[in-house]
Amino acid sequence: MGRILSIDYGQKRVGFAVTDELQICAHALETVHVADAFVFLKNYILKENVETIVVGEPKTMNNTNSDAARFIEPFVNRLRKEMKDINIVRFDERFTSRMAFQTLLDAGVNRKTRANKALLDKISATIILQSYLQHKELTIKN
């Protein structure tokens, strides 16, 4: 069984999270500059067995694509074109940035650390992945 990797794609940074090999839990992996995202991803996939990539899909409250979707689509299209052996899944990422910030608040993280956007991106990717795992588990049970 391969790992599941998630991506929180932003205009400046890309957060990555990954599961263990048994696909039980998600943990933060890395945040890289958007220009380095594809190279990071390719290098990671060369080292680890990744069977699925979950890419956050930014939606509005009325379930339409948000403005950020136009930045993500070219990346997703390139993923599908270059990584044909890996399942590419889009998954709703609404509120993940807020949830990531709240996680830091709840953990008592100081203001300076909370201002670290790279940390927020990794946590957001982790939340996307954990939500995907829960959704997948519910789908299998039903």
Side-chain angles (χ1 to χ4, degrees), residues 90-109:
R90 300 300 304 276
F91 196 76
D92 191 346
E93 69 171 31
R94 275 180 281 201
F95 307 115
T96 55
S97 293
R98 285 187 197 160
M99 290 166 58
F101 187 77
Q102 188 62 47
T103 299
L104 293 175
L105 281 175
D106 293 346
V109 174

Side-chain angles (χ1 to χ4, degrees), residues 6-142:
S6 72
I7 299 173
D8 180 37
Y9 192 90
Q11 292 180 41
K12 295 180 183 178
R13 290 170 310 281
V14 179
F16 293 93
V18 69
T19 65
D20 57 293
E21 291 175 347
L22 297 175
Q23 300 179 0
I24 295 171
C25 66
H27 65 271
L29 183 61
E30 188 63 71
T31 300
V32 300
H33 188 275
V34 71
D36 302 324
F38 223 84
V39 171
F40 174 84
L41 190 56
K42 282 183 169 183
N43 287 335
Y44 186 82
I45 289 170
L46 284 174
K47 291 184 261 177
E48 298 290 341
N49 178 21
V50 175
E51 77 176 37
T52 301
I53 298 174
V54 178
V55 183
E57 188 169 33
K59 297 280 192 177
T60 63
M61 291 304 293
N62 64 1
N63 208 32
T64 60
N65 286 341
S66 75
D67 292 337
R70 64 189 165 113
F71 300 105
I72 299 170
E73 289 307 317
F75 179 79
V76 172
N77 290 338
R78 184 175 174 193
L79 275 178
R80 287 192 169 122
K81 183 178 178 183
E82 293 188 28
M83 300 186 182
K84 293 179 179 169
D85 295 335
I86 298 176
N87 184 30
I88 310 295
V89 177
R90 300 300 304 276
F91 196 76
D92 191 346
E93 69 171 31
R94 275 180 281 201
F95 307 115
T96 55
S97 293
R98 285 187 197 160
M99 290 166 58
F101 187 77
Q102 188 62 47
T103 299
L104 293 175
L105 281 175
D106 293 346
V109 174
N110 66 42
R111 184 180 300 232
K112 184 177 179 183
T113 303
R114 287 193 314 260
N116 179 351
K117 303 262 190 228
L119 179 59
L120 284 173
D121 292 336
K122 279 195 290 194
I123 294 171
S124 292
T126 307
I127 292 169
I128 291 167
L129 185 51
Q130 190 62 48
S131 298
Y132 173 77
L133 291 173
Q134 290 169 343
H135 172 77
K136 186 176 157 189
E137 185 178 325
L138 287 173
T139 304
I140 291 170
K141 286 182 179 178
N142 293 330

